[in-house]
Amino acid sequence: MDKNNPSQVLTQKEMQRLALVHVQAYVGACHCQSRSDVLLALAHWQNVGDEIADFILTTRIIVVNEHGAHEF
């Protein structure tokens, strides 16, 4: 990443598109053969997302960059 051009947060539409691309890749990698397989894979995806969200909510996160430290 170019330090003179900091990254920008994606728009909601861009985030949704990116999520869809990754969910499709995940379901494909799970070799789902039926609707039940897809639903099971998505249930696992959702559980992981819930666990990550809980982690983010309960963990002190500090990002250090060229502008200093920022706590989230």
Side-chain angles (χ1 to χ4, degrees):
M1 177 185 300
D2 182 3
K3 70 179 183 177
N4 295 324
N5 188 10
S7 64
Q8 298 293 317
V9 175
L10 299 178
T11 65
Q12 183 176 353
K13 187 174 183 176
E14 291 168 327
M15 288 180 193
Q16 289 173 340
R17 178 69 185 134
L18 183 61
L20 179 60
V21 167
H22 286 283
V23 168
Q24 288 172 334
Y26 169 74
V27 170
C30 290
H31 304 289
C32 295
Q33 299 296 313
S34 67
R35 183 177 297 208
S36 295
D37 291 346
V38 171
L39 292 173
L40 180 61
L42 291 176
H44 288 295
W45 180 281
Q46 183 177 18
N47 288 338
V48 170
D50 290 343
E51 290 174 11
I52 291 170
D54 287 343
F55 175 80
I56 297 297
L57 287 171
T58 59
T59 302
R60 183 175 174 218
I61 299 172
I62 299 174
V63 176
V64 179
N65 62 23
E66 65 272 6
H67 303 294
H70 301 279
E71 186 170 340
F72 296 96

